[in-house]
Structures are given as structure tokens and as C-alpha cells.
């Protein structure tokens, strides 16, 4: 027994230790080292020799004995138990990811359907809906963040993290929205869902280059099949209307570029979650911290780009206050300005609620899985939304019909999802290399 640095260090024979401790000493200690047990702290001892009771130095491997000793059997039992625990954790994690993906698909489908329905009463004020969601979400997210802070789910350490990453997220989301708005105003409507499948390609490429993530061959083929299935389902109902003129090549490239910024936003959120997990000692930052500050910076960048945004929507900047006033009257469906706004405010409010739920679920899926998984869940919602429009919906007019090619596209999409999910989890060596924070 010796006192070093104020801590009590006990050195004992293996026979004086409990059976499990003695077993660990024989299986885990390196060559010519001793077992050191400390009560309150472990001192790092290098090059010191002890003249008290010491253990026999472990020289090489222990002598082989026939049969299984109590120590070896318990060690094997401990390893088997750890493997079983790891297996249960992996199964629990897989079930959590699957449940989050199902919720994301359902909310993504509702988001696509309700966005279309919300624009029926607000057909003359789509820019008002965009502004309302951009600035309204800031207040709602920060309100939720406040209550989560009071409940202890959000810590002061989370709130004191650097805000620069959130500013980058706000910038990426604003640029993606602006370029997407500009291209949407020119391109044919049926072409936009087809071009949106480039988002999955960008997601795979950026995950490979930035996160260092490696994908198996069947995963890449599965993602491509998902994109092909979405394109087939969208093309099944468009007919000859999808065509490009020479002047629309630029706007097509601009739309593809908007999905590049959107994919970069998702990848950067993965980086934020990984880095904050290191800073917070294993606990990742709350998703409402990310959503709140990213939405706040997006609102700031939107204000700075208002002259450009109003020009894209064909609204003179001087007439923006009047436009917002009329849009609010139509949104509330009150007053003399509400003519032709039937369905408001129910449909716009439903869209806003589902859209917020979709954003939260998508970010949660990114947090517990990956950006590619969230992209696949969003892609799977496209044929589901098309199918929903074949049902009798309020204020939507006559339902559309599904051609035979729609089922073929859906089958291709599902086969791609099954092929992607059939791959076993990657080994630990394929974890992303994010570098220092």
C-alpha cells in the first residue's frame, strides 16, 4: 500500500482480488505491467518501481491449459454478453430509424398535398405564404426552444455554442430558396419534381466527398432506382407537356443548383450534430436549437434579399406592404378582399402545421441516421402524394386518374428502397471524418 499524489494506490495479488478483477488482469494487461487500483483517482505512473506487494509480471501469453478454467469461461461469458447487448442496441437503433423514416414519409406526403391545397385559396398570394412561413417559423421555433429550455431538454451549453454554423445553414437555405423560386417561375410544373431527383445525387456525392462516407454498390444502385422510379411516376401523368426550350436550359441548371445548396444544407447539419456531440461529451445538440437559429438567420438573409425576391415574384418593392395586407386578408378569409379565398384559413394553417412537423421529423432523421436516409424518405413521398391526388379532396376539383406506368414507377422506386436497405451496416472504419470543430 502506497500513497502517491494524495491518492491511495493498492497493489494486490491476483488471489486477493475478486475473480472478475483477476480475470481482467490476465486478459487485458500488457506485457510487464502491474494491476493498479485507485479509490478516487488513477495516477499515471511511468518508469516507477514498487517495493511493496506487487503482482507477478505478465510475460507473454499465459500457459495453455487443457479445458476451460473458471476465469476463461467467465471472460468468454462477458464478451458474449457484451455482444448480445450490442446486438440489442443495434436492433433498437434500427427500429428507431425505421419509425422515424415512416413518420417522415407520412409528413412529407401530407406536406406535398397540403402545399398544393393551401395555394388554392392563396393562388394570387403565393409569396405571402412563403414570407409568412419564413418569419412565422422563427417565432414558433424560438417559443418551443424556450419551453424546452425551461423543461431542461436544452442546456445553457447548447445555447452558448458558436452561432456561425447556424448562419451558414441560414445562408444555404436562403440561396436554395431564391434560386428555386426563380427557376420555378419559368420552368414547366411537371419538370420540377423530375429535376428534384438530382438532390439525391448531390446528397450521395457530398456525403462521399465531405463526410468521407462510403457506400456499397447496391446502395448506389438502389438510390438510382429510387430516382428512376420517381421520374417514371411523375412522367406517367405529364404526357408531352414536359419539354425544354433553348432559353430554359439556364433555368434548368439553376434549379439543379438549388438542390445542390439544399443537399449541402443537409450535409452541414450532419457535421453540426457530429461536432456538437463531441463538444457536449456524447450528447448531441437539440434539434430545436438548430432549427431556431437556422430559421432566424434565414429570415435575416431573406430581408436582405427582399428587393431580388419581390422582383422574381413580379411585385414592385414599393407595393410589398399592400401585397402583404391583401394576402393577410385572404389568409384570414375576412373582409371584402377575401373573395375567391374559400378554404382559408383552414388549408393554409394545416399546411403550416404539417410543414413544421415535417421539418422537425426530417432533421430528427438526419440526426439519428443520415442525410441520404432523409432524402430517400422524401423521395418515397412523391408517388404517395400523386396517389393521394387521385382521391376526392376538398377544394381540389375532380380527382386525377393513375395511368398504368405509375404502378411501374412505384415498383421501381420500392425495389430501389429494398435494395438500398438490404445492405448491412458499414464497419466502424467508414465513420465520417469531420476534422476538428
Amino acid at each position: 500500500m502506497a500513497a502517491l499524489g494524495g491518492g491511495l494506490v493498492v497493489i494486490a495479488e491476483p488471489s486477493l482480488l475478486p475473480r472478475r478483477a483477476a480475470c481482467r488482469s490476465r486478459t487485458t494487461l500488457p506485457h510487464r505491467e502491474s494491476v493498479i487500483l485507485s479509490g478516487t483517482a488513477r495516477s499515471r505512473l511511468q518508469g516507477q518501481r514498487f517495493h511493496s506487494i506487487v503482482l507477478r509480471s505478465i510475460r507473454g501469453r499465459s500457459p495453455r491449459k487443457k479445458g476451460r478454467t473458471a476465469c476463461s469461461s467467465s471472460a468468454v461469458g462477458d464478451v458474449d454478453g457484451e455482444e448480445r447487448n450490442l446486438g440489442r442496441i443495434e436492433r433498437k437503433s434500427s427500429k428507431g430509424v425505421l419509425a422515424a423514416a415512416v413518420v417522415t414519409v407520412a409528413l412529407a406526403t401530407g406536406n406535398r398535398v397540403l402545399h398544393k391545397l393551401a395555394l388554392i385559396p392563396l393562388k394570387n398570394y403565393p409569396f405571402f405564404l412563403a414570407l409568412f412561413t419564413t418569419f412565422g417559423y422563427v417565432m414558433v421555433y424560438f417559443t418551443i426552444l424556450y419551453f424546452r429550455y425551461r423543461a431542461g431538454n436544452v442546456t445553457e451549453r447548447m445555447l452558448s455554442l458558436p452561432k456561425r454554423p447556424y448562419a451558414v445553414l441560414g445562408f444555404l437555405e436562403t440561396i436554395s430558396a431564391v434560386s428555386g423560386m426563380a427557376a420555378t417561375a419559368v420552368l414547366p410544373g411537371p419538370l420540377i419534381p423530375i429535376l428534384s431527383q438530382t438532390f439525391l445525387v448531390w446528397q450521395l456525392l457530398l456525403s462521399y466527398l465531405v463526410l468521407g462516407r462510403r457506400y456499397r454498390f447496391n446502395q448506389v444502385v438502389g438510390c438510382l432506382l429510387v430516382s428512376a422510379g420517381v421520374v417514371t411516376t411523375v412522367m406517367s401523368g405529364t404526357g408531352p407537356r414536359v419539354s425544354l426550350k433553348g432559353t430554359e436550359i439556364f433555368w434548368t441548371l439553376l434549379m439543379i443548383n438549388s438542390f445542390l445548396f439544399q443537399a449541402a444544407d443537409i450535409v452541414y447539419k450532419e457535421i453540426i450534430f457530429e461536432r456538437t456531440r463531441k463538444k457536449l461529451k456524447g450528447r448531441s445538440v437539440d434539434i430545436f436549437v438548430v432549427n431556431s437559429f437556422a430559421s432566424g438567420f434565414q429570415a435575416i438573409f431573406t430581408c436582405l434579399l427582399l428587393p431580388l425576391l419581390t422582383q422574381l415574384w413580379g411585385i414592385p418593392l414599393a407595393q410589398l406592404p399592400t401585397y402583404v395586407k391583401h394576402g393577410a386578408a385572404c389568409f384570414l378569409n375576412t373582409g371584402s378582399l377575401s373573395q375567391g379565398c374559400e378554404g382559408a384559413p383552414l388549408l393554409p394553417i394545416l399546411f403550416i402545421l404539417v410543414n413544421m412537423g415535417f421539418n422537425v421529423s426530417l432533421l430528427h432523421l438526419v440526426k439519428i441516421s443520415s442525410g441520404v436516409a432523409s432524402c430517400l424518405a422524401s423521395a418515397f413521398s412523391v408517388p404517395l402524394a400523386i396517389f393521394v391526388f387521385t382521391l376526392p379532396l376538398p377544394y381540389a376539383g375532380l380527382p386525377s386518374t393513375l395511368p398504368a406506368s405509375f404502378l411501374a414507377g412505384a415498383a421501381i422506386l420500392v425495389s430501389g428502397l429494398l435494395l438500398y436497405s438490404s445492405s448491412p451496416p458499414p464497419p466502424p472504419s467508414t465513420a465520417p471524418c469531420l476534422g476538428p470543430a
Side-chain angles (χ1 to χ4, degrees):
M1 182 180 298
L4 296 176
L8 185 64
V9 179
V10 179
I11 306 174
E13 291 283 356
S15 59
L16 301 179
L17 295 174
R19 178 183 299 178
R20 182 169 297 179
C23 183
R24 289 176 181 172
S25 68
R26 291 174 184 158
T27 56
T28 61
L29 287 177
H31 179 60
R32 299 182 65 85
E33 289 187 0
S34 300
V35 175
I36 302 174
L37 304 178
S38 58
T40 58
R42 291 183 179 178
S43 302
R44 295 183 178 179
L45 306 175
Q46 296 179 353
Q48 298 188 14
R49 304 178 66 90
F50 297 92
H51 302 285
S52 303
I53 305 174
V54 294
L55 290 174
R56 295 189 304 269
S57 298
I58 302 177
R59 303 177 183 275
R61 295 178 296 177
S62 301
R64 295 183 180 180
K65 296 181 180 181
K66 295 183 180 180
R68 178 173 294 181
T69 63
C71 179
S72 61
S73 62
S74 62
V76 173
D78 290 341
V79 172
D80 292 341
E82 291 179 359
E83 290 180 352
R84 286 194 296 268
N85 291 334
L86 288 175
R88 284 193 293 266
I89 293 174
E90 289 179 356
R91 288 193 295 271
K92 183 177 179 181
S93 176
S94 300
K95 291 180 180 179
V97 172
L98 180 60
V102 171
V103 173
T104 302
V105 169
L107 291 174
T109 305
N111 180 67
R112 293 179 183 275
V113 174
L114 288 173
H115 182 254
K116 182 69 174 179
L117 295 179
L119 289 176
I120 293 177
L122 295 176
K123 55 183 176 297
N124 296 323
Y125 306 100
F127 186 52
F128 169 81
L129 183 61
L131 290 177
F132 185 83
T133 54
T134 299
F135 293 98
Y137 286 0
V138 176
M139 296 184 291
V140 174
Y141 282 142
F142 272 100
T143 301
I144 297 175
L145 179 63
Y146 171 76
F147 285 107
R148 290 184 64 81
Y149 171 74
R150 292 291 300 271
N153 297 317
V154 175
T155 63
E156 293 184 2
R157 177 59 178 158
M158 293 181 184
L159 297 177
S160 63
L161 291 172
K163 303 302 184 293
R164 181 179 177 181
Y166 307 135
V168 174
L169 290 179
F171 176 77
L172 292 174
E173 292 171 1
T174 303
I175 296 300
S176 175
V178 171
S179 55
M181 287 180 186
T184 302
V186 178
L187 294 175
L191 184 62
I192 296 174
I194 299 175
L195 295 178
S196 67
Q197 300 315 302
T198 57
F199 174 66
L200 181 56
V201 179
W202 290 125
Q203 188 73 57
L204 288 172
L205 184 61
L206 292 178
S207 297
Y208 177 84
L209 296 177
V210 179
L211 299 179
R213 188 166 291 142
R214 300 297 180 260
Y215 296 95
R216 295 179 172 85
F217 178 76
N218 64 309
Q219 290 178 312
V220 176
V221 174
C223 290
L224 295 179
L225 284 177
V226 169
S227 297
V230 173
V231 171
T232 304
T233 55
V234 174
M235 290 289 292
S236 63
T238 58
R241 290 178 294 173
V242 179
S243 61
L244 283 177
K245 301 177 183 179
T247 57
E248 294 176 348
I249 298 297
F250 169 78
W251 301 107
T252 301
L253 296 177
L254 186 62
M255 176 61 75
I256 295 175
N257 182 71
S258 71
F259 293 113
L260 168 61
F261 283 103
Q262 187 176 348
D265 174 73
I266 297 295
V267 169
Y268 196 64
K269 286 177 179 176
E270 288 193 68
I271 295 176
I272 289 177
F273 283 126
E274 184 65 24
R275 288 179 174 176
T276 55
R277 190 176 292 112
K278 296 178 181 179
K279 291 183 178 180
L280 299 176
K281 299 179 180 180
R283 183 179 181 183
S284 184
V285 64
D286 190 83
I287 58 177
F288 281 97
V289 175
V290 179
N291 263 350
S292 300
F293 287 102
S295 299
F297 282 107
Q298 184 182 4
I300 294 174
F301 287 118
T302 301
C303 290
L304 297 176
L305 295 176
L306 268 181
L308 175 61
L309 292 174
T310 53
Q311 185 177 2
L312 291 175
W313 286 97
I315 305 169
L317 185 61
Q319 297 181 8
L320 183 60
T322 303
Y323 175 85
V324 172
K325 177 182 177 181
H326 293 178
C330 183
F331 180 86
L332 298 174
N333 198 10
T334 58
S336 58
L337 298 175
S338 61
Q339 185 177 2
C341 299
E342 291 79 10
L346 177 61
L347 294 178
I349 290 178
L350 285 177
F351 162 70
I352 291 173
L353 293 176
V354 173
N355 182 256
M356 289 184 59
F358 167 66
N359 290 333
V360 173
S361 66
L362 189 69
L363 189 57
H364 175 67
L365 186 58
V366 172
K367 180 179 179 179
I368 66 175
S369 181
S370 66
V372 175
S374 64
C375 181
L376 292 174
S378 181
F380 189 68
S381 67
V382 175
L384 292 179
I386 296 176
F387 173 76
V388 171
F389 280 115
T390 63
L391 306 176
L393 299 175
Y395 306 101
L398 295 176
S400 58
T401 58
L402 290 179
S405 56
F406 174 86
L407 298 178
I412 296 174
L413 188 149
V414 172
S415 64
L417 288 175
L418 293 177
L419 183 61
Y420 179 87
S421 60
S422 64
S423 177
S429 60
T430 59
C433 299
L434 301 178

